[in-house]
Structures are given as C-alpha cells and as structure tokens.
Amino acid sequence: MIISQLKPAVGTFVMLFVLFIFGCGEQPQVAEQPVQQENTMNDLAERYVKLTLAVGHHHDYYIDAYYGPQAWKSEKQPLANLLLEGQQLLANIEALDVSNTEKLRHDFLSMQTESVLFFIKQLQGEQFSFDEESQALYDAVSPNVSEAEFDQALAELEQLLPGDGPLHQRMAEFTKQFEIPKDKLDAVFRAAIDESRERTKQFIELPEQESFTLEYVTDKVWSGYNWYKGNSFSLIQMNTDFPITIDRAIDLASHEGYPGHHVFNSLMEKHLVNANGWMEYSVYPLFSPMSLLAEGSANYGIDVAFPEKERIAFEKQVLFPLAGLDSSKVDLYYAVQAVRSKLSYIDNVVAKRYLDGQIDKATAQQMLMKYALSSEKKALQRIGFIEQNRAYVINYNLGQDIVRAYVEKLSEGNSQKRWQVFSQLLANPMTASMMK
C-alpha cells in the first residue's frame, strides 16, 4: 500500500518508526533524482501513430501509407475513446517545451494531430462547411473565384478553337488527335518515367534500392495513384477508364513518380524515419495537412523537372513518335493547355457549392462540363471523386500554388537552387501556414 493512502495516525506512527531506526533527530539521506519530462517528442510521436492507425479502422482509405512497427497496429476502438485519446495527446504536444531545432517537427505533429481530431468528429457525424473542413484538415482555404474569371478563360479558348457546338465538344474533338493508343500506353509511360527519374537524380540523391511497379487499372475515381509500400518502393497505378492524352504521360510520371509522390515518401522515410527516428512520418493519413504538400509538390514538381521548352522538345522527339502521333500541332495544343489551366479552380468552386448544398448533382455536372470542359461521363467521375474525398480537391491547385510561391521565393529564379529548395521541402515537410 502507498504510504500517502494511509490514515494520518498510521502515517505518523510510520514516520516515528523511521526516525527511531535512523537515529533521533537524524534525517535519512536520499539521493536527488533528475526530474524527467513525462513526454518526449518520440513518446508523443508513437502515440500519434497508434492513434492514427486506430482511426484507420473506421475508414477504408484514411491510411494512405504505413511502414512502421506492425505491433503498433491495434484492434478497432470506439471513436469516442479515440477522440479522448487524441485530445489528451494534443494537450501533451502543446504543453511540451521544445528547442528551436525541434520546433518544425513539433508544430507539424501538432497540426497533424489536430486534423486527426477533426476527422474523428466527421466520422462521428458532425457536419462542417467546405471551408471549415479544408482549414481543419489541410491548413488552407481555397480562394473565391467567380464565374466571370472562368468566362474570360473560356472566351480565350473560343478564339483558339473556333467552330460550332458546345466548347467542351470542340475541346474533345481537338484533344482526340493527341490521345495515346492503348497499345502504346506502356511504352510512352515508361519513357516518361525514365526521363523524369533521370532528371530528378541529377539534383536529388535517391535511395539506392528505390523502385516501383507500374500497373494499369479501371473503374477508379482518380487518373493515377501512388501506393507507397515502404523501403523506397511504390506501386503506381494508372487508370485507363478514359483515353489518356500525350501530355498526361509526363504529368502522371512526374506527379506519381519523380519528383512527386514516390520521391516525397522515399525522402521522408530515408531522412526522417530511418535517420532521425521520427516515427510520426512512418504513417500518412490521407486527410491531413501532409496531403496539401504531397499533392502540391507533386504538381509543381512537373514544372521543376520539365521546364516548358524542355518538355515540349522531349515530347516532340521521344513521346510523340512512341505514341505514333503527329506533333505538328503541339504548339497549339500547349497554348490551349495554358489557357485551360486558368480553369483549374473550378473543381474547388463546384466541390464547395455541391458539398455545402448550394447546388445539386446535375448542376455540378453541368458546371464541370462548361468550365472544366469535361464530357458527361468525365464530369460524373469527377463528382465521384468529390463525393469520396470532399475538400481534398484543394490540395492539387491551391497546394501547387502555395508550394510554387514558397520555392520560387527562396530560389530567386535560380533553377539549380529551385531544385535544392524543393528537395529540402520534401525531406522536411511543412504545412500550408508554415510556408507563408
């Protein structure tokens, strides 16, 4: 029994007995013990990983990647219990006094934990607006873009693609001549991946054992996906539900592979998990601030690896011949793509209005057909993605813009320094607000 739990009279007797044994008036000498902090960053990181994995039992694709100890995986627990655990964890993280060298790690872990708590509340059925969700999960809110801005871009496309019929149909007819034949897909994709890998290796030291497997799948709401398995290995899947145009080869090769998701995860594993022992980076919860950096850097990384002139030259010389396509209209094609990029935020606008209940599914489909220039089926696929992933859509365009602004500000227009800043960001992740 612990002495402090005894009644006062008994406690007094015990104290007198101790004094008698050690000699009257003499106090026993007790060695001073160093004061130990109840929580360390590594302790908190382990609790965070276990909490995140436990939440993953309640959502099929919340855990995008995990390569930590298998023993940390637990049985399914009630969400109410996980919420209490997460709240205590966040309180301990915020109470921890850290040095300047650990501040970035501490702040990132704090924001990731906050996103886990928010996601638990969503799983419990609490309702939030689109902007509240994007702020809590991804540390950012998409800017308001009006239809007037989109209409201006459409007017530019009307000049580039004159003719009769709806613009999205003319766009479909124009891009059809740039579709990669299915029997040429693998050769074109592998050539694009090989080139993006070689370009990345010139500036980023990749792990020696890094590798990937490429698969072609159907019936997905996304066009490509990187399933990172750990030990610098990825499974990269390409969705062939719809025809794939020649420009998407480099887009997907860079975004999913080099210097995109495959490199991002490999560098985190190499530098943070293996070298530093920061186990919080061994788990990747999809709906978290990490995704804004992951998707934003993967999109921006396309331009880092393939500056416009170099990209067009490589496609003309290598990819077009491999695909058996005529490259005579490539300049017009990229002029169209440049204007079309001004419409990228339509995803965010449609998702926000649809999920906030301002428009119905039919209206959302019509908006995507008009402003994203999608076919009926492609628009429905995109709505499926929005329904499944909700505010995640902001990570592609807003994430790209945030990463671009951060890297280009620090690199000051120097292409080699741009690679340096970019690779440092991949190896030392930051959330959106940290990049401001």
Side-chain angles (χ1 to χ4, degrees):
M1 182 179 287
I2 299 173
I3 289 179
S4 62
Q5 292 179 333
L6 293 173
K7 294 180 180 179
V10 178
T12 302
F13 173 79
V14 173
M15 180 58 70
L16 290 173
F17 179 75
V18 171
L19 289 173
F20 175 78
I21 294 296
F22 282 90
C24 294
E26 245 180 76
Q27 298 296 327
Q29 300 298 311
V30 180
E32 290 188 8
Q33 297 295 322
V35 177
Q36 293 186 343
Q37 204 162 26
E38 184 178 357
N39 296 296
T40 67
M41 280 296 297
N42 286 344
D43 294 331
L44 297 172
E46 180 177 336
R47 288 168 57 191
Y48 161 79
V49 173
K50 290 177 177 178
L51 172 67
T52 305
L53 292 174
V55 175
H57 284 298
H58 294 268
H59 193 281
D60 290 341
Y61 45 93
Y62 180 62
I63 302 301
D64 192 71
Y66 178 61
Y67 41 88
Q70 293 302 303
W72 285 7
K73 293 183 176 181
S74 62
E75 298 297 322
K76 191 173 184 178
Q77 303 173 51
L79 286 171
N81 293 1
L82 298 179
L83 183 63
L84 290 174
E85 286 183 26
Q87 289 170 337
Q88 184 60 57
L89 172 60
L90 182 60
N92 292 150
I93 293 172
E94 292 179 342
L96 190 66
D97 186 21
V98 296
S99 64
N100 288 335
T101 56
E102 281 198 310
K103 189 176 187 319
L104 180 64
R105 180 190 181 192
H106 174 270
D107 292 350
F108 193 84
L109 180 59
S110 178
M111 286 202 177
Q112 287 288 116
T113 304
E114 287 179 351
S115 77
V116 177
L117 289 173
F118 183 87
F119 191 68
I120 292 173
K121 292 176 183 178
Q122 284 190 305
L123 290 174
Q124 289 178 316
E126 289 192 44
Q127 300 295 311
F128 301 94
S129 70
F130 183 86
D131 286 347
E132 288 172 336
E133 178 181 321
S134 69
Q135 179 64 59
L137 292 182
Y138 310 116
D139 191 33
V141 173
S142 184
N144 291 319
V145 183
S146 67
E147 276 95 329
E149 295 176 64
F150 296 137
D151 287 333
Q152 186 175 349
L154 292 184
E156 293 180 49
L157 288 172
E158 289 280 2
Q159 297 297 316
L160 291 170
L161 299 174
D164 299 323
L167 182 58
H168 75 269
Q169 289 183 1
R170 277 179 276 153
M171 177 65 73
E173 292 169 4
F174 174 72
T175 56
K176 191 171 183 61
Q177 60 192 311
F178 299 97
E179 292 174 1
I180 306 170
K182 279 200 171 184
D183 62 341
K184 309 281 189 182
L185 271 178
D186 191 61
V188 172
F189 269 129
R190 291 188 183 279
I193 291 175
D194 288 346
E195 180 68 14
S196 62
R197 184 174 185 270
E198 288 306 310
R199 287 169 176 258
T200 300
K201 282 176 60 180
Q202 293 178 34
F203 300 95
I204 297 178
E205 184 180 351
L206 300 175
E208 289 184 9
Q209 77 277 17
E210 66 86 16
S211 63
F212 65 90
T213 294
L214 181 61
E215 289 183 353
Y216 300 94
V217 297
T218 57
D219 196 26
K220 305 296 181 184
V221 297
W222 36 258
S223 55
Y225 210 105
N226 178 297
W227 304 96
Y228 189 71
K229 303 298 184 179
N231 198 30
S232 298
F233 173 75
S234 290
L235 168 62
I236 297 176
Q237 293 183 327
M238 303 299 185
N239 184 10
T240 59
D241 282 342
F242 296 93
I244 300 174
T245 52
I246 192 71
D247 59 300
R248 294 294 288 157
I250 283 180
D251 285 351
L252 291 169
S254 297
H255 183 101
E256 306 299 344
Y258 308 86
H261 294 323
H262 176 67
V263 173
F264 176 56
N265 284 289
S266 294
L267 292 183
M268 281 199 301
E269 182 179 21
K270 175 183 177 181
H271 295 291
L272 302 182
V273 178
N274 295 343
N276 293 352
W278 294 359
M279 295 307 296
E280 65 268 33
Y281 291 96
S282 68
V283 64
Y284 177 6
L286 189 64
F287 306 111
S288 71
M290 189 179 289
S291 281
L292 183 134
L293 175 60
E295 301 295 0
S297 63
N299 269 357
Y300 175 63
I302 300 169
D303 295 335
V304 175
F306 290 91
E308 185 178 13
K309 290 183 179 179
E310 295 179 24
R311 172 176 180 155
I312 293 176
F314 176 73
E315 289 186 347
K316 279 184 173 180
Q317 295 166 13
V318 179
L319 298 189
F320 272 81
L322 277 176
L325 299 178
D326 179 9
S327 63
S328 63
K329 294 183 180 179
V330 68
D331 293 331
L332 174 59
Y333 183 68
Y334 275 102
V336 168
Q337 294 301 99
V339 178
R340 197 172 182 179
S341 68
K342 298 178 183 180
L343 299 166
S344 69
Y345 275 83
I346 188 59
D347 272 8
N348 305 23
V349 172
V350 170
K352 178 178 178 177
R353 293 183 187 178
Y354 178 52
L355 296 175
D356 284 350
Q358 298 172 11
I359 59 175
D360 60 16
K361 190 169 186 174
T363 304
Q365 182 183 11
Q366 290 300 317
M367 288 185 69
L368 289 172
M369 290 171 63
K370 178 179 179 180
Y371 291 114
L373 301 170
S374 302
S375 66
E376 290 185 23
K377 288 185 178 180
K378 189 72 174 175
L380 281 177
Q381 182 200 47
R382 196 58 184 165
I383 292 172
F385 182 91
I386 290 170
E387 291 173 336
Q388 179 173 298
N389 298 287
R390 299 181 58 81
Y392 194 92
V393 296
I394 76 161
N395 294 324
Y396 298 98
N397 41 42
L398 181 60
Q400 178 179 347
D401 289 345
I402 290 173
V403 171
R404 183 190 302 279
Y406 174 81
V407 173
E408 295 190 356
K409 179 182 178 181
L410 295 181
S411 58
E412 301 172 332
N414 184 303
S415 60
Q416 187 163 348
K417 192 174 181 182
R418 180 167 67 163
W419 269 106
Q420 181 183 359
V421 174
F422 181 71
S423 61
Q424 287 175 347
L425 179 61
L426 297 184
N428 300 279
M430 290 190 285
T431 71
S433 62
M434 293 179 189
M435 285 186 272
K436 291 182 179 178

